[in-house]
Amino acid sequence: MDKAAILSHLPYSKPFLFVDELETIDENSVTGSYTFDADLDFYKGHFKDNPVTPGVILTETMAQIGLVCLGIYLSGSAEGGMPGHVMLTSTAIDFMKPVFPGEKVTVTAQKVYFRFKKLNCTVQMTNASGEIVCKGTIAGMVTNKMNA
């Protein structure tokens, strides 16, 4: 499954799509990027006069790139099957630096395991200067149906 096919299977659209590009993806890892548009609504009230990207949005960005894209790749590649949906089940994320409006971030995830339809990854987000913004672990279940 190629990068374009993976992106086409993402179950998100703007303004809740936090993947601009997948740079690399294979059975063990994924790297992708996203630039936070300064006009996104959550910046209007998240620290007035000095907006920063909420941690929950940073976590969502890591989940979309580092868990969902990799899960789609793994499930779509397994025995030539159709890609499944990936539902977030747990996170443990440490935040080190703020991400400001207009910043580009890169997410890298390494698969820890993928078995019994559960994907567990270590993830890291860096800013354009290569500084670690946040990192941790993230896990999810791959399903065939969105409500299963």
Side-chain angles (χ1 to χ4, degrees), residues 86-114:
V86 183
M87 307 298 183
L88 182 69
T89 59
S90 65
T91 64
I93 305 297
D94 292 321
F95 300 92
M96 283 81 161
K97 292 187 139 318
V99 173
F100 298 103
E103 274 197 82
K104 179 179 180 177
V105 295
T106 300
V107 174
T108 302
Q110 299 287 326
K111 177 182 76 177
V112 175
Y113 64 82
F114 178 52

Side-chain angles (χ1 to χ4, degrees), residues 13-107:
S13 62
K14 290 189 179 277
F16 208 75
L17 175 64
F18 300 111
V19 183
D20 287 334
E21 180 183 12
L22 291 179
E23 284 101 35
T24 63
I25 191 160
D26 61 32
E27 64 277 354
N28 293 308
S29 64
V30 62
T31 300
S33 62
Y34 181 72
T35 301
F36 287 96
D37 185 334
D39 293 327
L40 289 166
D41 276 346
F42 52 76
Y43 286 127
K44 294 175 184 169
H46 196 249
F47 298 108
K48 61 184 179 179
D49 302 324
N50 191 22
V52 298
T53 308
V56 68
I57 299 296
L58 297 177
T59 301
E60 179 66 25
T61 304
M62 289 191 294
Q64 287 187 19
I65 295 171
L67 185 75
V68 178
C69 288
L70 186 57
I72 289 169
Y73 176 86
L74 292 171
S75 67
S77 296
E79 301 174 15
M82 290 299 295
H85 300 285
V86 183
M87 307 298 183
L88 182 69
T89 59
S90 65
T91 64
I93 305 297
D94 292 321
F95 300 92
M96 283 81 161
K97 292 187 139 318
V99 173
F100 298 103
E103 274 197 82
K104 179 179 180 177
V105 295
T106 300
V107 174

Side-chain angles (χ1 to χ4, degrees), residues 112-119:
V112 175
Y113 64 82
F114 178 52
R115 61 179 174 265
F116 305 114
K117 297 186 178 185
K118 184 161 185 173
L119 176 59

